[in-house]
């Protein structure tokens, strides 16, 4: 149900000892959890909310029968969930606002019941001493705007997104100090407009999946360009009209693999930098330097939109922090032969082949490689001048309904926190989706994380001791 999030403006801190507590972190480290509106809210057809592109995508059968119609029903169970957060010891909760719940048609009047829900959620968090962190767009553009003009492939989205952000700043800004305009902007455009594996499912053969419209060669670059312009417009508005009074910060979130060369060859080293340019530099370079990486400009050519001087000036510096989501490390080797292709997509433009680090115990689970997160943080520090970085997502995945005894996630927590003191996981509480009441049950990792946050020593043998301590009160964990 929940994804752990570490929000920090400091670089990674590593400890050589295998014993550590919450107090080993600097005072301004903030530990919490995160989710997105479509993942947890439910109530998809209630109280004035109308479909987003996620609803359309799910109802078309792209999620194997699953949807966010009910999800975890946080819309009705938010008080219970916030209480779980406080009981665990969380300090922050990052959630997204559903644009189509707050402003159902994408523009125009605010939905009173949608507004009241977010006010109640925010107030509940604050009353329990938990910082609210808000994401404005988490892959859920109102379907009305997608239908009207194609959503993010149209420049019209800049004006509508800015107006939506203005409503959020005005309505909630006296309670919110942390704003993220877009979650995983790079993944959204790659999977939504190149491969078609995410909404709005726009792509074209031979690169994309089962899409009815789109152009994988041009639309990812168009959508990314408009996202950057929309982010800059919203950030500029916030800084000009609200920041002095509300004392908050605003940034943009990107997904980040840590790329390492498959071999020591010059070609693979160059390919690794190219992969960084296309994945990370695509969005972070314009924010820091005001333009796309030279590598991208050379390879993509006229398919890559250009910033005017005024646009470059607006985008450059339009952030207070960079949000980072990181899960796995990838080997990279050169595949420049793909550059000979015509009508290329983004992945062909990148001209690399990826090989995931193997996990000896499970193909499904992510390998534990804390040094990958450390590498990302060091790369951002060195290449982009040490900007503030918030680690928004990091963690281990397990199969749905597999077990409450989620040892792989505990080991992930132990490895990342112990090695870097800045990486956490997700899925702490099991939600029984087959139970009409959507009962919440703490997993083993919830107990581990709670013990850590409450200042108890966590050592290499702590997992064994943890099992002994909780088995007496939670026998179901041993079933």
């Amino acid at each position: 149900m929940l994804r752990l999030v570490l929000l920090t403006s400091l670089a990674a801190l590593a400890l050589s000892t295998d014993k550590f507590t919450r107090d080993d972190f600097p005072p301004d480290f903030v530990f919490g959890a995160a989710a997105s509106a479509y993942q947890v809210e439910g109530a998809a057809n209630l109280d004035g909310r109308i479909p987003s592109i996620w609803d359309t995508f799910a109802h078309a059968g792209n999620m194997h029968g699953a949807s966010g119609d009910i999800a975890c029903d946080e819309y009705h169970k938010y008080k219970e969930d916030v209480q779980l957060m406080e009981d665990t010891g969380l300090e922050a909760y990052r959630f997204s606002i559903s644009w189509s719940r707050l402003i159902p048609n994408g523009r125009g009047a605010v939905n009173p019941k949608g507004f009241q829900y977010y006010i109640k959620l925010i107030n509940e968090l604050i009353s329990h001493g938990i910082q609210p962190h808000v994401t404005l767009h988490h892959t859920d553009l109102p379907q009305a705007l997608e239908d009207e003009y194609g959503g993010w492939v149209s420049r019209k989205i800049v004006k509508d997104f800015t107006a939506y952000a203005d409503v959020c700043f005005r309505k909630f800004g006296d309670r919110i100090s942390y704003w993220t305009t877009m979650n995983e902007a790079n993944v959204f455009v790659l999977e939504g407009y190149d491969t078609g594996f995410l909404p709005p499912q726009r792509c074209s053969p031979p690169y994309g999946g089962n899409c009815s419209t789109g152009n994988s060669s041009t639309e990812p670059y168009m959508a990314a360009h408009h996202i950057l312009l929309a982010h800059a417009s919203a950030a500029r508005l916030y800084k000009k009209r609200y920041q002095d009074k509300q004392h908050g910060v605003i940034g943009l979130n990107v997904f980040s693999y840590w790329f390492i060369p498959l071999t020591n060859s010059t070609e693979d080293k160059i390919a690794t930098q190219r992969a960084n340019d296309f994945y990370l530099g695509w969005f972070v370079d314009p924010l820091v330097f005001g333009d796309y990486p030279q590598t991208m400009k050379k390879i993509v050519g006229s398919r890559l939109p250009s910033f005017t001087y005024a646009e470059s000036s607006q985008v450059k510096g339009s952030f207070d922090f960079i949000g980072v989501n990181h899960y796995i490390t990838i080997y990279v080797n050169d595949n420049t032969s793909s550059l000979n292709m015509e009508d290329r997509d983004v992945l062909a433009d990148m001209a690399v082949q990826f090989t995931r680090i193997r996990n000896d115990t499970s193909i499904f689970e992510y390998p534990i490689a804390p040094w990958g997160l450390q590498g990302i943080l060091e790369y951002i520090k060195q290449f982009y001048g040490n900007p503030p970085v918030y680690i928004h997502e990091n963690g281990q995945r397990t199969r749905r309904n597999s077990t409450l005894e989620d040892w792989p996630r505990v080991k992930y927590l132990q490895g990342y926190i112990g090695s870097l003191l800045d990486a956490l996981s997700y899925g702490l509480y099991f939600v029984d989706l087959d139970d009409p009441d959507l009962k919440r049950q703490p997993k083993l990792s919830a107990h581990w994380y709670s013990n850590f946050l409450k200042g108890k020593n966590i050592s290499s043998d702590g997992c064994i001791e943890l099992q002994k301590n909780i088995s007496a009160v939670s026998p179901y964990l041993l079933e």
Side-chain angles (χ1 to χ4, degrees):
M1 179 183 71
L2 301 179
R3 288 184 175 181
L4 296 185
V5 55
L6 168 63
L7 306 176
T8 176
S9 60
L10 301 179
L13 174 66
L15 296 184
S16 59
T17 178
D18 64 352
K19 293 184 178 182
F20 48 86
T21 72
R22 174 64 180 86
D23 294 336
D24 289 315
F25 287 80
D28 57 353
F29 265 64
V30 177
F31 291 89
S36 71
Y38 194 71
Q39 288 173 313
V40 299
E41 283 183 4
N45 302 312
L46 299 181
D47 295 343
R49 183 189 183 277
I50 65 172
S52 72
I53 57 176
W54 253 123
D55 296 272
T56 303
F57 183 80
H59 293 161
N62 292 295
M63 297 173 63
H64 307 289
S67 76
D69 292 356
I70 299 175
C72 301
D73 198 23
E74 189 174 87
Y75 187 78
H76 296 109
K77 293 178 173 288
Y78 69 92
K79 288 188 177 182
E80 179 181 351
D81 288 343
V82 172
Q83 186 61 56
L84 288 173
M85 297 177 205
E86 182 183 29
D87 293 344
T88 303
L90 302 185
E91 301 160 4
Y93 179 49
R94 176 179 174 244
F95 63 95
S96 70
I97 290 176
S98 169
W99 187 347
S100 59
R101 188 184 298 282
L102 185 65
I103 308 175
N105 290 307
R107 69 168 74 90
V110 172
N111 174 20
K113 291 187 177 180
F115 166 72
Q116 284 301 320
Y117 166 68
Y118 291 112
I119 283 291
K120 290 186 293 185
L121 172 61
I122 292 167
N123 288 345
E124 191 74 11
L125 290 166
I126 293 173
S127 70
H128 285 75
I130 299 170
Q131 290 180 4
H133 292 243
V134 170
T135 300
L136 294 175
H137 186 283
H138 199 122
T139 324
D140 58 351
L141 181 77
Q143 185 63 45
L145 299 184
E146 184 71 23
D147 293 340
E148 181 181 340
Y149 54 71
W152 289 102
V153 298
S154 170
R155 198 182 183 90
K156 293 179 181 178
I157 193 68
V158 176
K159 179 179 179 181
D160 284 338
F161 181 79
T162 305
Y164 159 58
D166 191 18
V167 169
C168 293
F169 299 150
R170 187 171 69 252
K171 297 287 189 180
F172 309 120
D174 61 334
R175 298 167 173 86
I176 301 297
S177 297
Y178 304 92
W179 298 96
T180 303
T181 53
M182 172 74 62
N183 182 74
E184 293 188 352
N186 48 356
V187 169
F188 176 62
V189 296
L190 280 168
E191 304 291 359
Y193 298 86
D194 190 346
T195 67
F197 293 155
L198 285 178
Q201 201 177 17
R202 298 177 68 101
C203 63
S204 60
Y207 308 106
N210 184 26
C211 302
S212 60
T213 188
N215 186 325
S216 297
S217 187
T218 59
E219 286 193 353
Y221 297 114
M222 294 166 58
H225 196 71
H226 297 144
I227 285 171
L228 284 163
L229 294 178
H231 159 81
S233 177
R236 183 185 185 190
L237 172 71
Y238 182 73
K239 291 173 179 293
K240 180 179 180 180
R241 188 176 299 175
Y242 298 102
Q243 195 168 48
D244 286 345
K245 294 181 292 185
Q246 298 177 356
H247 309 293
V249 292
I250 190 166
L252 181 140
N253 173 282
V254 291
F255 180 88
S256 57
Y257 292 111
W258 178 233
F259 295 120
I260 54 177
L262 182 64
T263 73
N264 287 324
S265 69
T266 300
E267 291 80 7
D268 283 358
K269 291 177 181 178
I270 293 173
T272 300
Q273 182 58 54
R274 192 163 61 244
N276 277 319
D277 288 341
F278 270 82
Y279 260 91
L280 200 61
W282 191 0
F283 287 87
V284 182
D285 269 43
L287 295 180
V288 176
F289 305 124
D291 202 359
Y292 296 113
Q294 288 298 320
T295 305
M296 291 189 69
K297 296 171 70 173
K298 180 179 179 180
I299 294 173
V300 182
S302 61
R303 290 178 293 125
L304 185 67
S306 299
F307 294 107
T308 66
Y309 178 81
E311 290 169 346
S312 175
S313 299
Q314 290 178 8
V315 172
K316 183 179 180 180
S318 62
F319 69 99
D320 297 310
F321 66 87
I322 302 296
V324 169
N325 294 356
H326 171 78
Y327 293 96
I328 58 177
T329 294
I330 298 287
Y331 289 115
V332 176
N333 79 298
D334 180 63
N335 187 30
T336 49
S337 60
S338 66
L339 290 177
N340 297 324
M341 300 168 59
E342 296 181 357
D343 299 324
R344 298 188 303 264
D345 73 331
V346 179
L347 297 178
D349 289 334
M350 208 177 305
V352 299
Q353 290 182 329
F354 296 129
T355 304
R356 213 179 90 177
I357 291 180
R358 292 184 177 273
N359 189 326
D360 294 335
T361 60
S362 171
I363 296 177
F364 183 81
E365 295 164 7
Y366 297 139
I368 298 175
W371 45 270
L373 179 58
Q374 189 176 27
I376 282 290
L377 295 174
E378 185 65 21
Y379 180 86
I380 293 173
K381 176 182 178 180
Q382 297 296 334
F383 198 80
Y384 294 111
N386 198 25
V389 173
Y390 289 9
I391 303 170
H392 280 153
E393 293 182 22
N394 170 259
Q396 182 61 278
R397 62 180 183 178
T398 58
R399 295 187 185 278
R400 180 192 165 196
N401 293 0
S402 56
T403 178
L404 292 176
E405 196 173 347
D406 55 343
W407 285 110
R409 185 167 294 127
V410 172
K411 292 177 181 178
Y412 195 101
L413 287 166
Q414 183 80 22
Y416 272 79
I417 297 179
S419 178
L420 298 177
L421 287 184
D422 64 359
L424 300 177
S425 180
Y426 59 87
L428 294 176
Y429 288 85
F430 169 73
V431 179
D432 187 351
L433 299 181
D434 297 322
D435 182 346
D437 294 327
L438 295 172
K439 183 179 178 181
R440 275 81 165 140
Q441 297 182 64
K443 296 181 182 181
L444 186 70
S445 54
H447 293 283
W448 189 97
Y449 190 33
S450 182
N451 283 346
F452 165 75
L453 291 177
K454 293 174 182 177
K456 298 180 181 179
N457 282 324
I458 303 297
S459 62
S460 58
D461 60 353
C463 294
I464 297 174
E465 189 63 30
L466 175 63
Q467 185 179 28
K468 291 179 181 177
N469 291 340
I470 68 173
S471 61
V473 294
S474 305
Y476 56 81
L477 288 173
L478 303 179
E479 294 178 355

